[in-house]
Amino acid sequence: MTPKHADLAEQFITDEPRTNWHDETLWFVREKRDKAVHGIPEWEDLREWGSQIKNHSLSNLSQYLKEFEEKATANGIQIHWAATGEEHNQIIHKIIQKNNIQRIVKSKSMLTEECHLNDYLEHRGIEVVDSDLGERIVQFRKEAPSHIVLPAIHLKKQDVSETFHEHLNTEKGNNDPQYLTEAARGHLRDKFVESELSITGVNFAIAETGGFVVCTNEGNADMGAHSAAVHIACMGFEKIIPKAEHLAVFLRLLARSATGQPITTFSSHFQKPRDGQEMHIVIVDNGRSTQLGREDFRNSLKCIRCAACFNTCPVYRRSGGHSYHTSTAGPIGSILNPNLDMKANSDLPFASTLCGSCTNVCPVKINIHEQLWKWRQEIVKNGYVDTTKKIGMNGMAVLFSYPAIYRLTGKIGRWVMRVVPFITNNQLNPWYKQREMPKPPKESFRDWYKKNGNSQKN
Amino acid sequence: MKVALFIPCYIDQFYPNVGIASLQLLEKLGCDVSFPLEQTCCGQPMANSGFASLSKGCDANFVKNFRGFDYIVAPSGSCVLHVKEHLHDDKNPLEAEKIRNSVYELTEFLTDILKVKNINARFPFKVGLHNSCHGQRMLNLSSMSERVLPAFSKPQDLLNMVQDIQLIKPKRNDECCGFGGTFCVFEEAVSVKMGKDRISEHQANDVDYITGVDSSCLMHLEGILNRQGNKIKTIHIAEILNSSL
Ligand code: SF4
């Protein structure tokens, strides 16, 4: 059974200084985002446009995807369609085999994480080198990324230093970021130069032109794609936007929301293969059409993967990304993952206080907290809920339907807490573990009101 | 103006003073207030845990108690939000709709309906304001740091009318305290950690009290404060606005 968010989070928090550091680092990014967006008077309009363009695209998906396929094919790109993550992996595997390729670099793509491409290829004896710095670090450590934009944000420089010492033979105990980055740079340079195949993600695919855009801060997507003879770009089908002019909206939204930068350092536009190069695009469904069909949740497909909802989420910041036990963590992961596997991810929609910060920070206005609430109802309806919780809730329903029972229970409850507090004040009560119980008064407000309320008026 | 006072279950049971302060405050401001005696709960604990389907009886009882008033006012943003968004009653759909549209959180009612300009209250202490999420982000009681819109705060405007109060904002002005209904027990570790972090920001400001519009957030913070042996106290905004120390 998958460990649950609450337990993994509890483990994470046992190291409180590290939790504070994680929280503060991500809050720093959130504040950078605030500074960047508050300088733009039309920010809320941009969000609205972004949201509407995505809404329009999702409502006319087949038309735009067809248009994209036609234009891209005319440009000399080969288009593949994958219904599942497995199919996506098979398609890529075939291209590798056909070209008899040994050396592969990949730039960061959450879709390939979602499809577990690295594992798939590794099982077939093929090694893929992740070329994003953070991604390379977690790859060395055989971990999953903990954040979709900052994959190694859960690690400190000491951790990176140890990892590089083990894998790149850097000086032990040298934690200097400059030194470590140089080492990674040298290592990755070699990989880029040697690479025969480059795999990238897609941030935006443009129906009108058949081209696509990949955004990175390290330029690693370009380095890979420009030197390799084969370029495979993988995209979830929701990445489609109608026209090139719409990029103006999304590129402004994406970088500011992600890191507080005005624009991502590299926004690379790919239109056609260069002479002698092969270019492929794999368009993946993997549950997306099911989500599109779930009216309450289709909005989640607007996501441009900026991770602003991660950085703002007070639960994410204090529980780390691995506590979400899926490739896409955070608030958006909590509404996307139950679609892929409701049972295994039935805990995720509950890993939120429903504070609503995610919804309001989201550059494409996804109603994340409302969807979390709706997923909770779905999950209970489908029976993925603890029996004890179910019994408790049924009891509560009776309690609140019958005022006399409610009052009697309240009275007894308060009496018990006053007279025999150890019944509630024990380690089996999760409230009491780190919090005192409220001090129960002798009379409820209603009791007081019956005695004093009306006399006060007269 | 016939106003019904809705005192959420946990305030009724654990924080009667908040109910008393709310009642007295509304009466001072000239409202004809009744407290329907058979009220229980808004149903939020079930609904937020995924059991909205179980709230029918609770909803029906709510409608029975609160039909026929001009306004329904409660000292809890979270419960008001729940009623506004989710109250339904198959037998009395129109009554339920009317209630959904006439339920107000206390500070919202004072600001938007009564349009209070003066409050005869004095509270000579250093107070940190906790912005409770549901009130802030969903009932729009105050602006939030996520959105690019003009800043405002209804609770803060009201507190500024109180004599001798020293209001101090925490560094992260509008971060959640971690209560979150049943979240506080099912995700106990994160919940407490969030609460501790809120408290340490108020502590850095050396406040005497933490106040807010939701007793639930305050109950959670109070539980942690008391366990820490911390001298900071919690107090509901109604108690400050009704105070004449
Ligand atoms: S849900 Fe919104 S905020 Fe979160 S990653 Fe997606 S676009 Fe960004």
Side-chain angles (χ1 to χ4, degrees), chain A residues 5 20 30 44 317-318 357 373 376-377 400 406 414 432-436 445-446 456-457, chain B residues 12-13 24 33 37 40 47-48 50 52 145-148 175 184 187-188 193 197 220 223 227:
Chain A
H5 180 273
N20 291 340
R30 155 77 211 270
E44 296 301 330
R317 273 187 267 114
R318 289 171 184 83
S357 185
W373 191 89
R376 293 180 183 189
Q377 315 303 325
F400 294 140
Y406 158 75
R414 275 182 288 122
Y432 187 72
K433 236 171 124 183
Q434 301 183 73
R435 283 169 290 219
E436 295 296 323
F445 171 74
R446 184 180 183 274
Q456 221 192 14
K457 228 185 270 179
Chain B
D12 176 41
Q13 294 296 326
Q24 291 178 342
V33 190
L37 286 170
T40 58
N48 283 10
S145 52
E146 294 88 4
R147 303 277 295 268
V148 180
E175 172 140 296
C184 74
E187 288 263 0
E188 183 266 341
K193 179 65 185 141
D197 291 353
H220 161 67
R227 179 62 61 86

Side-chain angles (χ1 to χ4, degrees), chain A residues 148 303-310 332 358 361-364 366 368:
Chain A
I148 55 173
C303 178
I304 57 171
R305 300 294 193 273
C306 70
C309 59
F310 287 54
I332 183 66
C358 47
V361 89
C362 176
V364 287
I366 301 173
I368 306 177

Side-chain angles (χ1 to χ4, degrees), chain A residues 29-46:
Chain A
V29 184
R30 155 77 211 270
E31 281 187 314
K32 265 184 74 189
R33 172 262 172 209
D34 290 354
K35 273 198 207 104
V37 309
H38 283 272
I40 296 192
E42 71 274 28
W43 180 253
E44 296 301 330
D45 293 331
L46 276 178

Side-chain angles (χ1 to χ4, degrees), chain A residues 412-421 424-425 437-440, chain B residues 14:
Chain A
I412 297 173
R414 275 182 288 122
W415 183 84
V416 168
M417 284 170 66
R418 269 201 323 273
V419 181
V420 271
T424 50
N425 298 0
M437 297 294 287
K439 294 203 178 59
Chain B
F14 291 123

